[in-house]
Amino acid sequence: MENRIESPELEEMRQQMLSLREQLDKQIVLNEQLLKDNTMKKVKSINIYGYISLLMLIPAFTGFCIVDYRFGLSFTFKVFAVITVVVIAYLEYWSSQRIKDSDFSTKSVKEIVSTLISMKKNNRKIRYMDIILSTIMVSWILYEIYANSFSKFIFKEGFPTYQFIGVNLTIFFSVLIAFILICNKYYNKNQQNINDMIEMLKEKE
């Protein structure tokens, strides 16, 4: 008699447990899909950063051409500047392409996290290299502007030489600062995406 009384209760508990398990399974699947979607978005954003680095060559070389036209730059500086900009842009592109969507089906989570950590370190090293070489380039280009302006110009477009230099340097620094801010924005965003991916994947481990 007691068994008959408990059976419906046990059956009800069993049904509740099954229902709870189904809900948990659905939630796990949903969370995994959400994690995958967010991860893929981060991967695409990181890959895009590499293409942006290559596109930045266009305004960089345009700026060099304008400065060369206005003031004249030495052949040595132009070779140094071209090699530096191309190498930095390529290194940033290479680093950003080390992670792909396909890695999530061919590599373990541990391997992907290791790659991301390596990318983050490489990006930081490239950034330091960029700062050092950019400092050299800006100092060199300012020296050439100063030397070439006073040696080649007495009057230019109605301005005395020092006014000509002042106006053009103001434009030069305005464009340079804007360019640096844009590059810095994308660099910080890329590093943050890598950090986010590392945190998400570590939680999955």
Side-chain angles (χ1 to χ4, degrees):
M1 186 69 178
E2 187 177 349
N3 289 338
R4 291 197 192 98
I5 294 173
E6 289 182 352
S7 292
E9 294 176 353
L10 289 173
E11 181 64 22
E12 183 179 355
M13 289 178 63
R14 190 176 70 84
Q15 292 297 330
Q16 288 176 351
M17 290 297 293
L18 287 174
S19 177
L20 180 60
R21 182 176 296 176
E22 289 177 358
Q23 291 178 8
L24 288 174
D25 290 341
K26 289 179 181 178
Q27 187 63 42
I28 290 172
V29 171
L30 182 62
N31 289 341
E32 288 182 349
Q33 185 61 43
L34 185 61
L35 175 62
K36 182 179 179 181
D37 292 342
N38 287 336
T39 302
M40 292 302 102
K41 287 180 182 178
K42 298 293 183 183
V43 171
K44 288 180 181 178
S45 182
I46 291 171
N47 293 157
I48 288 173
Y49 174 76
Y51 294 109
I52 291 174
S53 298
L54 294 181
L55 287 175
M56 284 296 179
L57 290 172
I58 297 174
F61 285 132
T62 301
F64 284 140
C65 290
I66 292 173
V67 173
D68 184 40
Y69 172 75
R70 298 289 281 178
F71 296 99
L73 299 173
S74 67
F75 177 77
T76 304
F77 172 79
K78 284 186 278 191
V79 171
F80 171 79
V82 168
I83 293 174
T84 297
V85 173
V86 170
V87 168
I88 293 297
Y90 174 76
L91 288 175
E92 290 179 345
Y93 170 78
W94 165 80
S95 181
S96 71
Q97 303 303 307
R98 292 181 61 195
I99 189 76
K100 298 287 186 182
D101 293 351
S102 57
D103 292 340
F104 292 87
S105 59
T106 59
K107 297 181 180 179
S108 66
V109 173
K110 187 175 181 180
E111 288 176 317
I112 295 172
V113 170
S114 178
T115 299
L116 289 169
I117 292 173
S118 176
M119 285 174 61
K120 185 179 176 182
K121 291 179 180 179
N122 285 336
N123 288 343
R124 193 178 296 117
K125 291 177 183 177
I126 295 169
R127 187 66 167 175
Y128 291 149
M129 187 190 305
D130 188 12
I131 291 172
I132 293 171
L133 293 175
S134 295
T135 300
I136 294 173
M137 277 199 300
V138 171
S139 301
W140 192 346
I141 201 171
L142 288 176
Y143 167 77
E144 294 216 1
I145 288 174
Y146 177 84
N148 292 344
S149 295
F150 276 98
S151 63
K152 295 180 180 179
F153 299 100
I154 297 177
F155 288 92
K156 183 72 175 180
E157 298 178 1
F159 290 98
T161 301
Y162 68 89
Q163 290 182 355
F164 172 70
I165 295 173
V167 170
N168 282 276
L169 285 185
T170 300
I171 297 172
F172 172 76
F173 276 111
S174 298
V175 174
L176 179 63
I177 291 171
F179 184 76
I180 291 173
L181 290 175
I182 292 172
C183 292
N184 192 60
K185 176 183 176 181
Y186 281 105
Y187 168 80
N188 290 333
K189 182 179 179 181
N190 187 57
Q191 292 293 81
Q192 186 59 51
N193 283 331
I194 294 175
N195 285 333
D196 292 343
M197 282 189 65
I198 292 173
E199 292 299 321
M200 287 189 295
L201 293 172
K202 282 184 175 180
E203 290 178 1
K204 186 179 178 181
E205 284 185 301

